[in-house]
Amino acid sequence: MITDRAIWEKELSRWMEEKKIAGAAVALTDRDKILWEQGFGVTSAEKPWDKVSPQTLFRIASNTKFTVGLCAMILWERGLLDLDVPVREYLPWFTVAGITEAPENAGSVKKTAGPDAAERITVRKLLNHTAGLPAEYTPDGPREESRLEEVLMEIVPPLTLIADPDENHYLYSNYGVRLVACLMEKITGKKFSALCRELVLAPLGMEKTTFDLFQAATYELALPHYKNEAGEPAVEHQFHENAARYAAGGLFSNVHEMTALARVKLNGGAPLLSPETWRQMSTPYVRMTDIKQEGYYGLTLMKRCYNGTWLYGHTGSHPPFYSCIWTEPESGFGVCFTINTEGGPAFTNYIVPELFTSGGSL
């Protein structure tokens, strides 16, 4: 693991200049504490004096999913949630229209009536993306979190599955975690954002991390940037908001507080989960088919191989915001990274994890 701050500063500064990135932040942690943290660039290209710090909030996108998984596993540990019963046990309205032909090289898939297919979709399959649900990205939508079930009841039943749930194909879908958030609301009687605060954010001391854009705006907040005609970062004067998909990627956080999530991964689920519950969550379940490296998916948790090293974590993409949390439990180190400019996947998917594991300059 690279723990030399000078290497990180040199390499990230070089890549940010080359990729024309407005602002980013990085933090390295061990099992107990933050080793170092650094902001790069600015929160806004229109305010060059407003520098990014480790406390600057960025939208962390799909790294939110790990908090969904943690909430679900806490409820499982308390006996309130069964991972292996049909989703319809919690959401009686849940159904799908049917199943399409199999994807190429995916094996045989029978066309099946909607109710039968829905009966074979469990909570576990939603959390590890093997339910067969299609992809989803709708950045704009209702501002009221109370409309989550209403929205899902409208858009999910007409869906056609891409693969049979019994075939266990990895098909990344935001619908799955949104449905899990909805059923957890049913179980607890609490909105997902409040449940996440109670079970995960507050116990980990993540005080500034929030789903609420208006609350985030009262802290240091990185603005979204696109690339203008000259290829330079320019402020995108809007934030996309959809409260009905908070669970899929709605959190704002900073690298300082994100390290708390990294330490949960480094410490086998502690202080939130027992070792057995963590084993359930972190065990690789299905081979990921959408990445260049060898990789597997557990319950809202990725396992990928970089430079011969297995990393556990997740990436997040809510353009132009991107983030990643990668940990290497064997060595006991983790890295958190955020960015506010389009072009971020190169950093979160390759540059940061490869720098983290390479042992030297890229």
Side-chain angles (χ1 to χ4, degrees):
M1 296 295 107
I2 292 182
T3 58
D4 187 333
R5 178 173 185 164
I7 293 177
W8 281 95
E9 291 179 340
K10 174 185 175 182
E11 292 297 333
L12 288 181
S13 295
R14 177 171 68 87
W15 281 104
M16 286 184 64
E17 176 62 27
E18 180 177 315
K19 302 292 185 181
K20 303 299 182 183
I21 303 299
V26 64
L28 187 71
T29 184
D30 62 16
R31 299 186 198 278
D32 302 312
K33 62 186 180 303
I34 296 173
L35 300 178
W36 61 264
E37 53 190 5
Q38 178 70 49
F40 297 83
V42 296
T43 65
S44 168
E46 297 173 356
K47 300 178 180 180
W49 60 87
D50 196 0
K51 305 297 184 182
V52 171
S53 82
Q55 296 284 348
T56 301
L57 295 177
F58 291 71
R59 179 167 263 152
I60 66 171
S62 285
N63 274 293
T64 304
K65 289 180 172 66
F66 183 58
T67 69
V68 179
L70 288 171
C71 287
M73 298 311 293
I74 290 170
L75 296 181
W76 177 80
E77 194 169 73
R78 295 177 181 179
L80 299 175
L81 174 64
D82 191 328
L83 298 175
D84 297 308
V85 301
V87 173
R88 294 178 72 176
E89 292 288 326
Y90 300 104
L91 302 174
W93 55 263
F94 175 70
T95 189
V96 291
I99 301 175
T100 62
E101 296 288 351
E104 185 178 358
N105 300 322
S108 61
V109 176
K110 297 179 180 179
K111 292 184 177 180
T112 311
D116 179 70
E119 285 289 351
R120 292 180 282 115
I121 295 177
T122 64
V123 179
R124 189 184 300 271
K125 288 183 177 294
L126 296 181
L127 290 171
N128 61 29
H129 301 289
T130 60
L133 290 164
E136 177 272 320
Y137 181 65
T138 50
D140 295 301
R143 302 294 177 90
E144 304 87 6
E145 189 182 3
S146 60
R147 294 185 59 191
L148 172 60
E149 185 173 28
E150 171 195 339
V151 169
L152 292 177
M153 288 178 67
E154 178 181 350
I155 61 178
V156 171
L159 293 176
T160 300
L161 299 183
I162 300 174
D164 191 295
D166 289 344
E167 296 290 334
N168 292 326
H169 295 302
Y170 173 79
L171 296 165
Y172 192 85
S173 175
N174 288 319
Y175 287 120
V177 289
R178 295 174 68 181
L179 285 163
V180 172
C182 185
L183 65 86
M184 289 194 296
E185 289 188 349
K186 288 290 190 180
I187 291 169
T188 64
K190 300 174 181 178
K191 296 304 176 196
F192 171 67
S193 62
L195 186 67
C196 185
R197 170 66 56 189
E198 175 187 333
L199 298 183
V200 177
L201 303 182
L204 294 180
M206 300 176 70
E207 297 179 356
K208 294 182 179 179
T209 300
T210 180
F211 290 96
D212 188 339
L213 173 60
F214 293 102
Q215 181 180 354
T218 66
Y219 301 118
E220 301 174 44
L221 178 62
L223 300 185
H225 288 70
Y226 67 97
K227 301 289 181 62
N228 61 22
E229 293 182 358
E232 298 293 330
V235 176
E236 179 180 325
H237 286 281
Q238 65 172 333
F239 274 90
H240 297 283
E241 279 292 291
N242 185 345
R245 65 187 312 274
Y246 274 170
L251 274 178
F252 291 88
S253 190
N254 56 52
V255 293
H256 181 84
E257 295 191 356
M258 288 165 65
T259 60
L261 295 176
R263 287 189 291 275
V264 170
K265 300 170 186 178
L266 291 171
N267 290 304
L272 302 179
L273 303 176
S274 70
E276 168 57 23
T277 304
W278 178 250
R279 187 190 67 78
Q280 284 273 343
M281 186 174 185
S282 61
T283 298
Y285 182 79
V286 61
R287 177 74 180 264
M288 297 172 65
T289 55
D290 61 342
I291 60 173
K292 296 179 181 179
Q293 307 88 357
E294 184 178 4
Y296 300 86
Y297 206 91
L299 302 181
T300 67
L301 189 64
M302 297 176 178
K303 179 182 180 181
R304 290 185 177 180
C305 187
Y306 292 89
N307 296 312
T309 300
W310 285 99
L311 301 182
Y312 288 80
H314 216 288
T315 60
S317 174
H318 193 305
F321 289 99
Y322 302 87
S323 68
C324 62
I325 301 176
W326 291 115
T327 64
E328 206 284 286
E330 185 174 343
S331 67
F333 293 105
V335 62
C336 302
F337 181 78
T338 56
I339 196 169
N340 69 341
T341 309
E342 63 183 20
F347 283 87
T348 59
N349 294 347
Y350 306 109
I351 295 172
V352 169
E354 290 183 8
L355 179 59
F356 186 44
T357 59
S358 66
S361 178
L362 294 176

